[in-house]
Amino acid sequence: MLDEIGVNIIEGGFASVSEGDFQALKLIAREGLKAEICSMARATLTDIDAVVKSEVQSVHLVVPTSNIQLTYKLKKTMDEVLELACECVEYAKKHGLIVELSAEDGSRTDVNFLKQFFSRGISCGADRVCLCDTVGVLTPESSYELISNLRKTISVPFGIHCHNDFGLATANTIAAVRAGADHVHVTVNGIGERAGNASLEELSLIHI
């Protein structure tokens, strides 16, 4: 049904998280839909291998970028994360995948490092990039300002991924589009982690 209404890209699951997700992605990939079928992956080669085996067309490569995520989740420096992102992008491209590179917790990341991160990813072959408001801290004003700033330095399609922790996912997504975002991440009925994500049916009915 998503394909029938014209959704361009369908992220059907997370190939490495469970056998169920892996098999579901493989079935969707074999449906012959017009939409590009995508799997999420972390910045590990084993995650990317699972995406390749699932037979989907693209990978949504999600890499933490904020100081708190680098310190406590990845336990890596900024330079190490730049190298890791590049390695994973190049590996995925080598295996024939379209690559969307996302900055996890990007809305709490130093803007200069974000620019470095996206520039490095693009130079290593990323086809599109995305900023994730992972804990839903943006406001429409800050969303517009941040995307406007980043858009000036990004040469590939640029997306936005908003969470709804403060009830602003749709508003923040609209602001991002007005600031230059090319594509948006949405979910059916806004269902997603914690308070959910920007809602497909809300965004699709708004003339931006």
mmCIF file of all heavy atoms in Angstrom, residues 112-142:
data_model
loop_
_atom_site.group_PDB
_atom_site.id
_atom_site.type_symbol
_atom_site.label_atom_id
_atom_site.label_comp_id
_atom_site.label_asym_id
_atom_site.label_seq_id
_atom_site.Cartn_x
_atom_site.Cartn_y
_atom_site.Cartn_z
ATOM 1 N N ASN A 112 29.962 22.223 13.554
ATOM 2 C CA ASN A 112 31.179 22.106 12.753
ATOM 3 C C ASN A 112 31.582 20.644 12.547
ATOM 4 O O ASN A 112 32.047 20.263 11.470
ATOM 5 C CB ASN A 112 32.325 22.889 13.401
ATOM 6 C CG ASN A 112 32.102 24.385 13.344
ATOM 7 O OD1 ASN A 112 31.644 24.908 12.319
ATOM 8 N ND2 ASN A 112 32.404 25.076 14.423
ATOM 9 N N PHE A 113 31.364 19.820 13.588
ATOM 10 C CA PHE A 113 31.644 18.398 13.417
ATOM 11 C C PHE A 113 30.623 17.758 12.476
ATOM 12 O O PHE A 113 30.981 16.883 11.681
ATOM 13 C CB PHE A 113 31.647 17.670 14.761
ATOM 14 C CG PHE A 113 31.935 16.193 14.627
ATOM 15 C CD1 PHE A 113 33.122 15.759 14.071
ATOM 16 C CD2 PHE A 113 31.002 15.246 15.027
ATOM 17 C CE1 PHE A 113 33.397 14.402 13.920
ATOM 18 C CE2 PHE A 113 31.259 13.891 14.883
ATOM 19 C CZ PHE A 113 32.462 13.469 14.323
ATOM 20 N N LEU A 114 29.373 18.196 12.547
ATOM 21 C CA LEU A 114 28.363 17.682 11.612
ATOM 22 C C LEU A 114 28.790 17.940 10.164
ATOM 23 O O LEU A 114 28.662 17.059 9.303
ATOM 24 C CB LEU A 114 27.010 18.351 11.857
ATOM 25 C CG LEU A 114 26.085 17.762 12.903
ATOM 26 C CD1 LEU A 114 24.832 18.619 13.021
ATOM 27 C CD2 LEU A 114 25.718 16.318 12.585
ATOM 28 N N LYS A 115 29.268 19.128 9.908
ATOM 29 C CA LYS A 115 29.711 19.458 8.554
ATOM 30 C C LYS A 115 30.864 18.557 8.129
ATOM 31 O O LYS A 115 30.899 18.063 6.989
ATOM 32 C CB LYS A 115 30.117 20.928 8.477
ATOM 33 C CG LYS A 115 28.937 21.887 8.573
ATOM 34 C CD LYS A 115 29.394 23.349 8.570
ATOM 35 C CE LYS A 115 28.207 24.287 8.678
ATOM 36 N NZ LYS A 115 28.618 25.716 8.719
ATOM 37 N N GLN A 116 31.803 18.330 9.028
ATOM 38 C CA GLN A 116 32.922 17.408 8.748
ATOM 39 C C GLN A 116 32.405 16.006 8.460
ATOM 40 O O GLN A 116 32.847 15.339 7.524
ATOM 41 C CB GLN A 116 33.870 17.347 9.945
ATOM 42 C CG GLN A 116 34.882 18.438 10.061
ATOM 43 C CD GLN A 116 35.839 18.131 11.197
ATOM 44 O OE1 GLN A 116 35.551 18.418 12.371
ATOM 45 N NE2 GLN A 116 36.960 17.520 10.886
ATOM 46 N N PHE A 117 31.477 15.556 9.307
ATOM 47 C CA PHE A 117 30.939 14.197 9.203
ATOM 48 C C PHE A 117 30.257 13.989 7.856
ATOM 49 O O PHE A 117 30.536 13.007 7.147
ATOM 50 C CB PHE A 117 29.957 13.965 10.348
ATOM 51 C CG PHE A 117 29.232 12.648 10.297
ATOM 52 C CD1 PHE A 117 29.862 11.480 10.692
ATOM 53 C CD2 PHE A 117 27.918 12.587 9.860
ATOM 54 C CE1 PHE A 117 29.197 10.259 10.646
ATOM 55 C CE2 PHE A 117 27.244 11.379 9.815
ATOM 56 C CZ PHE A 117 27.883 10.214 10.208
ATOM 57 N N PHE A 118 29.372 14.905 7.485
ATOM 58 C CA PHE A 118 28.663 14.751 6.222
ATOM 59 C C PHE A 118 29.605 14.902 5.029
ATOM 60 O O PHE A 118 29.509 14.134 4.061
ATOM 61 C CB PHE A 118 27.520 15.758 6.126
ATOM 62 C CG PHE A 118 26.339 15.435 6.999
ATOM 63 C CD1 PHE A 118 25.725 16.420 7.760
ATOM 64 C CD2 PHE A 118 25.839 14.148 7.067
ATOM 65 C CE1 PHE A 118 24.629 16.127 8.558
ATOM 66 C CE2 PHE A 118 24.741 13.836 7.872
ATOM 67 C CZ PHE A 118 24.137 14.841 8.616
ATOM 68 N N SER A 119 30.514 15.851 5.100
ATOM 69 C CA SER A 119 31.468 16.038 3.994
ATOM 70 C C SER A 119 32.329 14.801 3.788
ATOM 71 O O SER A 119 32.559 14.376 2.649
ATOM 72 C CB SER A 119 32.361 17.248 4.264
ATOM 73 O OG SER A 119 31.615 18.432 4.255
ATOM 74 N N ARG A 120 32.784 14.217 4.889
ATOM 75 C CA ARG A 120 33.611 13.012 4.782
ATOM 76 C C ARG A 120 32.794 11.862 4.212
ATOM 77 O O ARG A 120 33.265 11.110 3.347
ATOM 78 C CB ARG A 120 34.158 12.644 6.163
ATOM 79 C CG ARG A 120 35.142 11.479 6.144
ATOM 80 C CD ARG A 120 36.401 11.819 5.361
ATOM 81 N NE ARG A 120 37.311 10.709 5.300
ATOM 82 C CZ ARG A 120 38.182 10.395 6.260
ATOM 83 N NH1 ARG A 120 38.241 11.131 7.369
ATOM 84 N NH2 ARG A 120 38.991 9.373 6.123
ATOM 85 N N GLY A 121 31.572 11.699 4.698
ATOM 86 C CA GLY A 121 30.724 10.630 4.188
ATOM 87 C C GLY A 121 30.453 10.763 2.704
ATOM 88 O O GLY A 121 30.493 9.780 1.950
ATOM 89 N N ILE A 122 30.183 11.993 2.264
ATOM 90 C CA ILE A 122 29.916 12.238 0.841
ATOM 91 C C ILE A 122 31.158 11.951 0.009
ATOM 92 O O ILE A 122 31.084 11.337 -1.057
ATOM 93 C CB ILE A 122 29.421 13.682 0.643
ATOM 94 C CG1 ILE A 122 28.040 13.857 1.275
ATOM 95 C CG2 ILE A 122 29.375 14.044 -0.841
ATOM 96 C CD1 ILE A 122 27.605 15.301 1.444
ATOM 97 N N SER A 123 32.324 12.386 0.498
ATOM 98 C CA SER A 123 33.573 12.142 -0.240
ATOM 99 C C SER A 123 33.879 10.656 -0.350
ATOM 100 O O SER A 123 34.559 10.223 -1.287
ATOM 101 C CB SER A 123 34.741 12.873 0.425
ATOM 102 O OG SER A 123 35.078 12.277 1.662
ATOM 103 N N CYS A 124 33.363 9.863 0.601
ATOM 104 C CA CYS A 124 33.594 8.411 0.576
ATOM 105 C C CYS A 124 32.512 7.664 -0.205
ATOM 106 O O CYS A 124 32.594 6.439 -0.330
ATOM 107 C CB CYS A 124 33.674 7.883 2.005
ATOM 108 S SG CYS A 124 35.142 8.470 2.891
ATOM 109 N N GLY A 125 31.507 8.397 -0.704
ATOM 110 C CA GLY A 125 30.536 7.768 -1.598
ATOM 111 C C GLY A 125 29.090 7.770 -1.166
ATOM 112 O O GLY A 125 28.239 7.204 -1.870
ATOM 113 N N ALA A 126 28.749 8.401 -0.033
ATOM 114 C CA ALA A 126 27.349 8.420 0.407
ATOM 115 C C ALA A 126 26.481 9.095 -0.652
ATOM 116 O O ALA A 126 26.820 10.160 -1.172
ATOM 117 C CB ALA A 126 27.218 9.144 1.737
ATOM 118 N N ASP A 127 25.347 8.470 -0.972
ATOM 119 C CA ASP A 127 24.448 8.991 -2.002
ATOM 120 C C ASP A 127 23.525 10.079 -1.465
ATOM 121 O O ASP A 127 23.091 10.962 -2.207
ATOM 122 C CB ASP A 127 23.590 7.851 -2.558
ATOM 123 C CG ASP A 127 24.445 6.787 -3.213
ATOM 124 O OD1 ASP A 127 24.909 7.019 -4.338
ATOM 125 O OD2 ASP A 127 24.661 5.729 -2.583
ATOM 126 N N ARG A 128 23.190 9.985 -0.184
ATOM 127 C CA ARG A 128 22.378 11.004 0.479
ATOM 128 C C ARG A 128 22.712 10.972 1.964
ATOM 129 O O ARG A 128 23.274 9.993 2.457
ATOM 130 C CB ARG A 128 20.880 10.781 0.244
ATOM 131 C CG ARG A 128 20.375 9.384 0.559
ATOM 132 C CD ARG A 128 18.892 9.235 0.219
ATOM 133 N NE ARG A 128 18.397 7.930 0.615
ATOM 134 C CZ ARG A 128 18.160 6.914 -0.219
ATOM 135 N NH1 ARG A 128 18.372 7.073 -1.515
ATOM 136 N NH2 ARG A 128 17.719 5.760 0.227
ATOM 137 N N VAL A 129 22.378 12.053 2.659
ATOM 138 C CA VAL A 129 22.669 12.137 4.087
ATOM 139 C C VAL A 129 21.413 12.597 4.820
ATOM 140 O O VAL A 129 20.464 13.088 4.213
ATOM 141 C CB VAL A 129 23.851 13.095 4.378
ATOM 142 C CG1 VAL A 129 25.128 12.584 3.745
ATOM 143 C CG2 VAL A 129 23.539 14.519 3.919
ATOM 144 N N CYS A 130 21.440 12.432 6.158
ATOM 145 C CA CYS A 130 20.252 12.752 6.946
ATOM 146 C C CYS A 130 20.664 13.182 8.350
ATOM 147 O O CYS A 130 21.572 12.603 8.943
ATOM 148 C CB CYS A 130 19.338 11.528 7.010
ATOM 149 S SG CYS A 130 17.837 11.766 7.984
ATOM 150 N N LEU A 131 19.969 14.182 8.863
ATOM 151 C CA LEU A 131 20.143 14.605 10.245
ATOM 152 C C LEU A 131 19.045 13.971 11.093
ATOM 153 O O LEU A 131 17.855 14.095 10.776
ATOM 154 C CB LEU A 131 20.045 16.122 10.364
ATOM 155 C CG LEU A 131 20.156 16.609 11.813
ATOM 156 C CD1 LEU A 131 21.605 16.902 12.161
ATOM 157 C CD2 LEU A 131 19.283 17.815 12.061
ATOM 158 N N CYS A 132 19.420 13.305 12.184
ATOM 159 C CA CYS A 132 18.437 12.683 13.077
ATOM 160 C C CYS A 132 18.290 13.499 14.359
ATOM 161 O O CYS A 132 19.277 13.742 15.063
ATOM 162 C CB CYS A 132 18.863 11.259 13.446
ATOM 163 S SG CYS A 132 18.938 10.146 12.039
ATOM 164 N N ASP A 133 17.057 13.906 14.652
ATOM 165 C CA ASP A 133 16.724 14.520 15.940
ATOM 166 C C ASP A 133 16.316 13.374 16.861
ATOM 167 O O ASP A 133 15.144 13.187 17.189
ATOM 168 C CB ASP A 133 15.603 15.540 15.767
ATOM 169 C CG ASP A 133 15.281 16.295 17.046
ATOM 170 O OD1 ASP A 133 16.157 16.368 17.928
ATOM 171 O OD2 ASP A 133 14.145 16.799 17.165
ATOM 172 N N THR A 134 17.310 12.615 17.288
ATOM 173 C CA THR A 134 17.100 11.304 17.916
ATOM 174 C C THR A 134 16.322 11.361 19.218
ATOM 175 O O THR A 134 15.556 10.441 19.523
ATOM 176 C CB THR A 134 18.463 10.618 18.129
ATOM 177 O OG1 THR A 134 19.101 10.498 16.859
ATOM 178 C CG2 THR A 134 18.316 9.244 18.755
ATOM 179 N N VAL A 135 16.515 12.423 19.990
ATOM 180 C CA VAL A 135 15.772 12.521 21.254
ATOM 181 C C VAL A 135 14.749 13.660 21.217
ATOM 182 O O VAL A 135 14.256 14.108 22.249
ATOM 183 C CB VAL A 135 16.720 12.657 22.465
ATOM 184 C CG1 VAL A 135 17.483 11.368 22.674
ATOM 185 C CG2 VAL A 135 17.683 13.822 22.300
ATOM 186 N N GLY A 136 14.436 14.125 20.021
ATOM 187 C CA GLY A 136 13.342 15.059 19.823
ATOM 188 C C GLY A 136 13.505 16.401 20.497
ATOM 189 O O GLY A 136 12.553 16.937 21.064
ATOM 190 N N VAL A 137 14.712 16.997 20.418
ATOM 191 C CA VAL A 137 14.957 18.253 21.133
ATOM 192 C C VAL A 137 14.817 19.504 20.258
ATOM 193 O O VAL A 137 14.875 20.620 20.775
ATOM 194 C CB VAL A 137 16.356 18.260 21.784
ATOM 195 C CG1 VAL A 137 16.463 17.172 22.834
ATOM 196 C CG2 VAL A 137 17.462 18.114 20.736
ATOM 197 N N LEU A 138 14.637 19.333 18.962
ATOM 198 C CA LEU A 138 14.512 20.499 18.093
ATOM 199 C C LEU A 138 13.192 21.227 18.316
ATOM 200 O O LEU A 138 12.207 20.642 18.785
ATOM 201 C CB LEU A 138 14.604 20.088 16.622
ATOM 202 C CG LEU A 138 15.967 19.634 16.096
ATOM 203 C CD1 LEU A 138 15.828 19.162 14.657
ATOM 204 C CD2 LEU A 138 17.006 20.745 16.198
ATOM 205 N N THR A 139 13.192 22.492 17.963
ATOM 206 C CA THR A 139 11.968 23.279 17.816
ATOM 207 C C THR A 139 11.901 23.682 16.350
ATOM 208 O O THR A 139 12.913 23.598 15.631
ATOM 209 C CB THR A 139 12.003 24.538 18.688
ATOM 210 O OG1 THR A 139 13.075 25.391 18.223
ATOM 211 C CG2 THR A 139 12.189 24.191 20.167
ATOM 212 N N PRO A 140 10.761 24.140 15.852
ATOM 213 C CA PRO A 140 10.718 24.564 14.451
ATOM 214 C C PRO A 140 11.773 25.616 14.115
ATOM 215 O O PRO A 140 12.390 25.562 13.052
ATOM 216 C CB PRO A 140 9.296 25.106 14.299
ATOM 217 C CG PRO A 140 8.503 24.303 15.280
ATOM 218 C CD PRO A 140 9.420 24.122 16.461
ATOM 219 N N GLU A 141 12.009 26.542 15.028
ATOM 220 C CA GLU A 141 12.997 27.594 14.784
ATOM 221 C C GLU A 141 14.412 27.023 14.698
ATOM 222 O O GLU A 141 15.176 27.351 13.782
ATOM 223 C CB GLU A 141 12.929 28.657 15.893
ATOM 224 C CG GLU A 141 11.653 29.465 15.918
ATOM 225 C CD GLU A 141 10.495 28.752 16.601
ATOM 226 O OE1 GLU A 141 10.718 27.660 17.185
ATOM 227 O OE2 GLU A 141 9.366 29.274 16.561
ATOM 228 N N SER A 142 14.762 26.156 15.651
ATOM 229 C CA SER A 142 16.119 25.595 15.645
ATOM 230 C C SER A 142 16.301 24.600 14.501
ATOM 231 O O SER A 142 17.395 24.467 13.943
ATOM 232 C CB SER A 142 16.447 24.935 16.984
ATOM 233 O OG SER A 142 15.576 23.860 17.274
#
